[in-house]
Amino acid sequence: MKIQTARFFLVLQFISLFLIASCQGDDSNEVTPDPELENAQLKSFPLSETSHLNIKIVHPEIVNGEEKKYGEIEITIPASHQSLMLSLKQFDLDNNKYSISPSIGDQQDFSKGAVIYTISSNFHEDKSVHYNVKVVIEAAPVNTNSKITGFSFEKSKNPSLESTINAVKIVEYENYSENAIYILVPVGTDFSKLTPTITFDAAKLYYSLGPEFKPYTSNTMVVDFKYPKHFYLQAENSNGNKSKVYNVIVDVKDPIKFEQLPVITQNVKAGDGSTTQYFAAVAKWTNQGNHPIKGMAVESYKNKTFPFVYTGDANTITAILSNPVVGIDGVLPGEKGDVNITVKRMSITGKYTTTAEFAPTFNFNNYTIHNWPVTDRVEGIFNTAELKVESTISE
């Protein structure tokens, strides 16, 4: 009887020890952190579309192997990048162990607030942690200036051009509400399909092709500069209380093209020098530019030759350019004008020659080309056009 009692107590003692050990094992599992979640921490969050100026990372809070609080990531990007459609560029954890959603390259709209990114274990579907990712744009620096500093047609954006072309002049006209940017392209350029590159010292830049200004946000916009259309730019300071408007003038260096050189008139009958022979429309010229060209007088004559020795400065031959179309103020781009020649009836017969030099200028007041003297808002940006004329005076 005593032996049985002893055996009974031994069994009870064994059972008690087993239960204690089992309980201790369970307690140990509850306090041991899950290594999968403990290691699922983002050390960075690079973006595909832009670099960041600053990043703050607070990791998820994990207690007893369970996520108690989401992590927080706040990223500050440059003010020059205004779009908040962004994506994760790379995932810096072991892809064999973890996956992330939204995935790499999957654009999200951060303008609506924080986006939740979930990091999941590849071995335990129910194991995951989360980050609230917030993206903010830095405050734009205060800029008190409002001016255009550069304007060009880059070769890389304008394949039809042989090289990059820069503006010949960016001018601010004092006491006027409108300024000008002048840029000259090769003859034959399609004025209606050009992509400008613009630099500016201002807080904001706007453009207009019509009645209203819109934000200019891209240097890849194709613009129609073909006459009579106008492309305006407006540079504005940070406070919005100072701005400058620029009208972009696109043309060619040589807007006047003569169809034949030299121009040879019919023979002129000799006289005493007091009378002249007038030749109307003896030749044609073409407006190969981008603005109307008014009738034009000669700036100067050179290379004058006479059938006798002469050292004076008399002009036996004179020329003017005229518009044959009545009612139109100037020869329009692509249209033709007339060359009119006047020859004095000199007493000495023989061949007379001269080279007439036309010096076109651009009048910003009415957007036409003529031979006005260079002055306020009249720019001498074109090459001189030369016309050689020959005439023979005979008995």
Side-chain angles (χ1 to χ4, degrees):
M1 185 70 172
K2 290 181 179 180
I3 294 173
Q4 292 178 346
T5 301
R7 288 177 178 175
F8 177 75
F9 282 110
L10 286 172
V11 171
L12 287 177
Q13 188 176 8
F14 177 79
I15 292 173
S16 298
L17 291 172
F18 177 80
L19 291 174
I20 292 171
S22 298
C23 292
Q24 290 175 343
D26 292 341
D27 290 342
S28 176
N29 287 337
E30 290 178 3
V31 299
T32 301
D34 188 330
E36 294 291 334
L37 296 185
E38 286 289 336
N39 295 328
Q41 295 184 345
L42 292 176
K43 302 297 190 298
S44 65
F45 199 95
L47 298 169
S48 302
E49 293 76 14
T50 183
S51 59
H52 64 261
L53 299 175
N54 188 37
I55 183 168
K56 298 177 182 178
I57 300 178
V58 178
H59 299 301
E61 182 180 325
I62 300 173
V63 179
N64 296 334
E66 296 294 334
E67 183 184 42
K68 299 300 183 181
K69 186 178 181 181
Y70 284 10
E72 303 283 343
I73 298 178
E74 182 173 306
I75 303 170
T76 303
I77 63 174
S80 58
H81 190 95
Q82 291 295 309
S83 174
L84 285 174
M85 290 298 296
L86 304 166
S87 63
L88 177 64
K89 183 177 182 180
Q90 65 185 49
F91 182 44
D92 59 8
L93 295 180
D94 188 345
N95 291 318
N96 293 321
K97 295 181 179 180
Y98 305 101
S99 59
I100 189 167
S101 178
S103 58
I104 295 173
D106 186 3
Q107 279 198 337
Q108 303 296 308
D109 187 357
F110 287 89
S111 66
K112 299 178 181 179
V115 175
I116 298 175
Y117 276 78
T118 303
I119 301 174
S120 303
S121 168
N122 292 341
F123 304 111
H124 305 283
E125 294 182 358
D126 59 338
K127 298 292 185 181
S128 61
V129 293
H130 306 80
Y131 284 88
N132 283 316
V133 181
K134 180 182 179 181
V135 179
V136 295
I137 300 174
E138 72 164 338
V142 175
N143 193 327
T144 59
N145 296 324
S146 57
K147 63 187 301 182
I148 304 294
T149 57
F151 190 99
S152 65
F153 295 131
E154 294 183 343
K155 164 66 177 174
S156 59
K157 299 176 185 176
N158 300 274
S160 63
L161 299 178
E162 294 184 358
S163 60
T164 295
I165 299 174
N166 296 309
V168 296
K169 195 170 189 180
I170 299 176
V171 57
E172 295 178 6
Y173 296 119
E174 294 185 8
N175 304 319
Y176 292 93
S177 61
E178 192 176 309
N179 305 297
I181 298 173
Y182 297 94
I183 185 165
L184 302 177
V185 298
V187 172
T189 299
D190 187 348
F191 296 105
S192 68
K193 296 178 180 179
L194 289 168
T195 300
T197 298
I198 305 165
T199 58
F200 55 95
D201 182 11
K204 297 178 181 178
L205 183 65
Y206 301 90
Y207 79 96
S208 173
L209 287 166
E212 62 178 334
F213 281 94
K214 302 176 182 178
Y216 188 86
T217 58
S218 172
N219 265 328
T220 60
M221 183 172 68
V222 178
V223 180
D224 186 355
F225 294 95
K226 189 173 182 179
Y227 177 85
K229 295 183 179 179
H230 292 275
F231 179 66
Y232 295 94
L233 291 169
Q234 177 176 298
E236 185 178 279
N237 69 353
S238 296
N239 297 326
N241 59 4
K242 182 181 179 182
S243 64
K244 291 187 176 101
V245 175
Y246 298 78
N247 189 351
V248 182
I249 306 299
V250 183
D251 218 298
V252 300
K253 292 181 180 179
D254 299 289
I256 299 171
K257 179 185 178 182
F258 297 108
E259 291 194 351
Q260 67 220 53
L261 291 173
V263 172
I264 302 174
T265 71
Q266 296 177 0
N267 289 357
V268 176
K269 188 175 181 179
D272 60 4
S274 63
T275 59
T276 61
Q277 175 73 49
Y278 181 69
F279 297 97
V282 67
K284 293 287 185 181
W285 60 275
T286 301
N287 179 357
Q288 58 183 1
N290 192 38
H291 292 88
I293 301 177
K294 289 175 170 285
M296 194 172 297
V298 172
E299 176 74 12
S300 61
Y301 294 92
K302 67 178 184 178
N303 301 330
K304 292 178 284 188
T305 63
F306 301 84
F308 56 91
V309 177
Y310 178 72
T311 58
D313 196 36
N315 294 315
T316 302
I317 302 173
T318 57
I320 61 170
L321 306 183
S322 67
N323 180 14
V325 181
V326 178
I328 297 179
D329 190 17
V331 175
L332 297 176
E335 299 297 324
K336 297 181 185 299
D338 290 336
V339 177
N340 301 328
I341 305 294
T342 300
V343 182
K344 286 185 178 180
R345 298 181 185 274
M346 303 295 289
S347 60
I348 300 175
T349 61
K351 186 169 72 172
Y352 292 75
T353 68
T354 190
T355 298
E357 294 184 306
F358 296 91
T361 56
F362 187 87
N363 190 329
F364 189 75
N365 297 289
N366 55 23
Y367 309 115
T368 58
I369 300 171
H370 192 44
N371 60 330
W372 294 281
V374 174
T375 183
D376 186 26
R377 302 220 300 179
V378 176
E379 306 291 346
I381 57 175
F382 304 111
N383 289 337
T384 299
E386 295 187 353
L387 174 68
K388 184 177 181 180
V389 184
E390 296 179 3
S391 186
T392 298
I393 296 177
S394 58
E395 293 294 344

